[in-house]
Amino acid sequence: MATTATTSLPGRRRRTPLARREARWAYLFLAPWIVGFLLFQAGPMIASAWLSLTEYDVINAPRYTGLDNYRQLMSDPQVARSLGNTVYYTALHVPLVMAISLGLALLLKRVGRLQGFFRTVFYLPVMTPAVAVGILFLLLLNTQDGLINRALGLVGIDGPSWTTDPDWVLPGIVLMSLWSLGSTVIIYLAALQNVPRDLYEAADLDGAGGWARFRHVTLPMISGSLFFTLIVNTIASLQMFTEVYTMYF
């Protein structure tokens, strides 16, 4: 009597009905993200890459020009200047936002019952539209009638020309960017509240002072949040556009 043997590919197993059903449900739950990624991320990225190789004025159909746009970009001196200003702004913005936000978070941790109120107050400016922020600070940084220069005048300081002096335009933009540091404050506050009190008590028993506790306990325990905000704020700084365009163009 002849016998037949079933063979299968090495390393390949027949999936059970339960495994196939679980796979279908997995793809079903992943479908919204996959569709959103293809429509709102991958699709626009591919379209932008194609348009970068064309001459397109929105009204007329795109005309393929190859790498001419990139050649013009590399030879334009304004591009190098713009990149330099962006790096300079980022180098000022990111450390200031992180340092001030950490200081505010340390203060909020000591507030007690009013912590929720101040947490909301610090976060509300983040919700302000970028165009409104640009217009607001264009008024605040006005050389003659701006509120900031008026406040400096009260203490005998002659305020600079924030919006016209090339040496003060970027510091003025950095000052404007501090308006929306509330999200970083909230992240640091949550990280500080998750630091175990046992570590502070052990540091006290060892005779550590306030600075030693901050350096050897607080900073290591919130290092993950510090690294996260470093990356996020750096990306946001490199993408700064709307507020500056509203103020100066």
Side-chain angles (χ1 to χ4, degrees):
M1 182 176 180
T3 60
T4 59
T6 60
T7 60
S8 60
L9 295 176
R12 185 175 179 179
R13 297 180 180 179
R14 181 184 296 274
R15 290 193 299 179
T16 64
L18 177 61
R20 290 196 296 270
R21 186 164 59 250
E22 290 179 345
R24 286 196 298 268
W25 278 106
Y27 287 126
L28 180 62
F29 283 116
L30 288 173
W33 180 88
I34 295 174
V35 173
F37 174 77
L38 293 176
L39 290 179
F40 301 111
Q41 294 187 22
M45 289 173 63
I46 296 173
S48 299
W50 161 248
L51 290 176
S52 70
L53 303 175
T54 65
E55 182 179 346
Y56 183 46
D57 59 3
V58 180
I59 299 176
N60 301 310
R63 183 174 63 86
Y64 179 75
T65 58
L67 298 176
D68 288 347
N69 292 331
Y70 291 98
R71 296 190 187 99
Q72 183 179 359
L73 186 69
M74 297 301 294
S75 61
D76 189 350
Q78 295 295 331
V79 174
R81 183 177 181 183
S82 176
L83 291 176
N85 289 335
T86 301
V87 172
Y88 177 63
Y89 165 77
T90 302
L92 289 177
H93 168 78
V94 175
L96 278 176
V97 166
M98 293 182 65
I100 296 175
S101 298
L102 183 56
L104 292 174
L106 289 170
L107 291 176
L108 282 179
K109 187 182 177 183
R110 299 175 177 271
V111 168
R113 294 182 178 180
L114 293 177
Q115 186 181 110
F117 169 76
F118 285 106
R119 188 169 59 235
T120 303
V121 170
F122 281 118
Y123 189 76
L124 280 178
V126 180
M127 309 302 294
T128 309
V131 175
V133 174
I135 296 174
L136 172 64
F137 273 86
L138 183 62
L139 299 175
L140 292 176
L141 297 174
N142 185 275
T143 305
Q144 287 79 23
D145 302 324
L147 182 61
I148 294 178
N149 278 0
R150 285 189 177 185
L152 292 175
L154 294 176
V155 294
I157 300 176
D158 188 13
S161 300
W162 298 97
T163 57
T164 57
D165 189 343
D167 295 330
W168 285 99
V169 168
L170 276 176
I173 295 174
V174 173
L175 182 63
M176 175 190 65
S177 68
L178 299 179
W179 172 263
S180 58
L181 53 73
S183 57
T184 306
V185 174
I186 300 304
I187 293 173
Y188 288 162
L189 179 61
L192 290 172
Q193 291 176 334
N194 286 327
V195 177
R197 295 186 59 86
D198 297 344
L199 298 179
Y200 290 116
E201 293 174 357
D204 289 335
L205 291 176
D206 291 338
W211 170 248
R213 290 196 302 270
F214 175 76
R215 180 181 176 185
H216 298 290
V217 177
T218 303
L219 286 181
M221 294 303 297
I222 66 172
S223 58
S225 298
L226 292 173
F227 181 73
F228 172 76
T229 54
L230 172 65
I231 299 301
V232 170
N233 285 315
T234 300
I235 294 173
S237 300
L238 295 175
Q239 293 178 339
M240 168 68 75
F241 174 78
T242 306
E243 294 91 334
V244 179
Y245 186 83
T246 303
M247 291 178 65
Y248 296 100
F249 297 97

